[in-house]
Amino acid sequence: MQLHFTKDVLPDSVSTDFQNLNKFNEQQFHRLIEILCQFLLEPKETERFMQHLTEFAGEHGMSAGPLRNLMKSVLLVPQGLNEEKAAHFAQQWGEHYAALSRLAVGQTLMVNQLVDMEWKFGVTVGTSEIQKVGNVFLQLKLVVRKGNSTENVYMELTLPQFYNFLHEMERAKASMECFS
Amino acid sequence: MAAAVSGEDFTNLQLLLKAPSKDAVRDVCVQSHRAPSRRLAETTASAFSIPAAQAAQLVQSLHVLSHHVLFYNLSSPEQILALFPESFHSSLKNLITKILLENSPTWRTEAVSDQISLPQLKELDWRVDMVTGSDSVSRMSVPTCLVQLKMEDPCPSAGGESVSTVTVELSRESLDTILDGLGRIRDQLSVVAGK
């Protein structure tokens, strides 16, 4: 992984440290960025930086040592970086982190994920038992991902069943919206 | 399958005159509709005191007649009476017609639900979970929906299972897409119904 602004190559340990950064929740993360930015804007204030880090570690029940190492990995900038570049770096990193998070969530395991749905409906005109019928039927094909391949599930619904299906899916959606 | 009702069938039907009661006639009519089995023939033979071979023919002819009535949806007495030959016993003809008319609605409903089809949706259950962590992100809060569909195959292939269950996971986007699709189906259905 190359950094955009230095073209240096990151050592492996940094990659792990970045993953550890993912473990902070949004609030914690923002606070860390704040601390970092403050330091970057005034790189001579190393003591204050260390103090902030130690306080942060204490508030969130983590040990200061690993946190300091983590911050060292992040600070792959030569000393004397000017204000503008420091702010730019912090902003880039913030954006990069958001994209990484989204990617990580998107890769979260999904069991039997629904990939596609096709349907057709029509009227049964007659059968071998009854010459003239006239029932409406709905046929659904669900394409489900099972591991690396997909499986097709076919089913038929009567009209009342279809309306019930629609009703239940609307209830499920309402339930999901409660939680976001 | 609806075969035509032949003269021989009506000859066999006259054996019903040997029935001990009207209820016995009713019973054999109803049971022969489902399947003219050998067991039924034997029961009928002993109840009517007729030879087993004749009972088997009677049961078979009843089956042909009731399915003919069902197939062509003969729903009035006149339509059914018209099937019988002139020489047929009058009271018996009326009794058989009455029994067939009484049972036709039930038989028709059964035939419709037994017809060949894709596995039919029997039950639908869902739940919404909140995913709070995974191997790639330790803390998250993403809702996800699990839907379980129970289906029954009315005509399973030999050795195949009749009831099958599928559980599907849906993300929020998938659920929205499904609802979009179902909404379109509903709109199309109301257009068709309106015509």
Side-chain angles (χ1 to χ4, degrees):
Chain A
M1 193 160 84
Q2 267 193 337
L3 292 175
H4 293 300
F5 50 90
T6 66
K7 305 270 192 241
D8 284 345
V9 177
L10 281 178
D12 283 330
S13 60
V14 175
S15 174
T16 319
D17 289 328
F18 265 98
Q19 276 187 359
N20 287 334
L21 272 170
N22 272 334
K23 298 203 166 115
F24 291 121
N25 71 25
E26 212 171 296
Q27 219 184 3
Q28 291 169 331
F29 180 71
H30 278 143
R31 177 69 193 126
L32 257 187
I33 292 258
E34 221 180 281
I35 299 175
L36 189 63
C37 278
Q38 267 192 326
F39 172 61
L40 287 172
L41 293 171
E42 290 169 304
K44 296 217 171 90
E45 302 283 341
T46 49
E47 218 178 273
R48 186 184 68 183
F49 179 52
M50 285 299 144
Q51 193 201 348
H52 281 165
L53 281 184
T54 314
E55 267 169 24
F56 180 86
E59 278 164 34
H60 299 278
M62 54 182 82
S63 39
L67 183 61
R68 277 203 289 272
N69 289 336
L70 183 59
M71 287 292 109
K72 272 190 214 159
S73 295
V74 172
L75 292 170
L76 292 172
V77 293
Q79 287 292 345
L81 192 66
N82 70 27
E83 197 175 301
E84 196 189 308
K85 285 211 176 109
H88 177 69
F89 160 71
Q91 187 218 9
Q92 286 271 340
W93 187 38
E95 282 170 12
H96 190 52
Y97 172 73
L100 269 175
S101 293
R102 271 198 297 276
L103 258 172
V105 168
Q107 279 165 14
T108 303
L109 169 74
M110 274 194 95
V111 177
N112 284 1
Q113 185 181 18
L114 181 67
V115 172
D116 195 17
M117 177 174 89
E118 288 174 31
W119 77 83
K120 72 180 179 202
F121 66 86
V123 178
T124 302
V125 176
T127 76
S128 50
E129 296 302 310
I130 307 171
Q131 194 186 36
K132 286 182 191 154
V133 194
N135 307 328
V136 179
F137 64 84
L138 172 74
Q139 284 175 356
L140 281 182
K141 170 182 156 190
L142 301 174
V143 183
V144 178
R145 173 159 296 127
K146 284 198 179 246
N148 283 332
S149 60
T150 58
E151 182 186 315
N152 297 333
V153 178
Y154 297 94
M155 69 188 82
E156 198 166 300
L157 284 74
T158 62
L159 229 46
Q161 283 174 328
F162 162 70
Y163 286 114
N164 186 45
F165 185 36
L166 175 58
H167 179 61
E168 290 301 318
M169 291 294 100
E170 282 175 344
R171 284 174 76 201
K173 174 170 169 165
S175 179
M176 272 202 158
E177 278 174 353
C178 267
F179 289 110
S180 38
Chain B
M1 288 285 284
V5 193
S6 68
E8 203 185 305
D9 287 317
F10 284 111
T11 311
N12 294 332
L13 288 173
Q14 305 233 75
L15 286 163
L16 287 169
L17 290 166
K18 306 248 170 100
S21 67
K22 282 187 181 169
D23 281 338
V25 174
R26 187 168 279 117
D27 279 341
V28 72
C29 281
V30 170
Q31 285 177 48
S32 66
H33 179 81
R34 199 150 277 133
S37 67
R38 210 171 102 171
R39 205 163 55 92
L40 179 61
E42 281 164 15
T43 324
T44 309
S46 56
F48 289 22
S49 307
I50 53 175
Q54 284 185 351
Q57 282 178 319
L58 168 61
V59 162
Q60 180 60 33
S61 294
L62 272 170
H63 182 84
V64 167
L65 178 63
S66 62
H67 278 263
H68 181 94
V69 167
L70 176 63
F71 185 79
Y72 290 104
N73 196 23
L74 303 179
S75 46
S76 75
E78 296 74 32
Q79 283 173 314
I80 301 180
L81 288 167
L83 293 171
F84 290 81
E86 284 286 322
S87 55
F88 200 88
H89 189 283
S90 182
S91 312
L92 181 60
K93 181 170 68 175
N94 290 334
L95 177 61
I96 295 175
T97 303
K98 186 166 153 222
I99 295 170
L100 290 170
L101 283 172
E102 270 170 13
N103 288 284
S104 283
T106 315
W107 288 336
R108 193 183 163 93
T109 312
E110 277 173 7
V112 166
S113 62
D114 278 348
Q115 73 189 350
I116 55 167
S117 79
L118 293 179
Q120 290 167 353
L121 180 67
K122 284 293 170 205
E123 240 180 82
L124 170 75
D125 288 311
W126 58 266
R127 80 177 201 215
V128 168
D129 291 337
M130 186 64 87
V131 180
T132 55
S134 77
D135 59 322
S136 46
V137 180
S138 72
R139 292 169 80 147
M140 54 198 265
S141 65
V142 175
T144 184
C145 179
L146 281 169
V147 177
Q148 188 184 70
L149 304 152
K150 277 211 184 87
M151 293 157 323
E152 194 179 328
D153 193 344
C155 340
S157 50
E161 279 289 309
S162 160
V163 177
S164 57
T165 306
V166 167
T167 306
V168 177
E169 188 173 344
L170 307 167
S171 67
R172 205 158 154 202
E173 292 75 28
S174 303
L175 183 54
D176 283 338
T177 310
I178 286 189
L179 275 169
D180 198 45
L182 293 179
R184 272 184 271 154
I185 297 176
R186 184 193 48 208
D187 294 339
Q188 288 175 355
L189 280 170
S190 38
V191 168
V192 168
K195 286 196 180 139

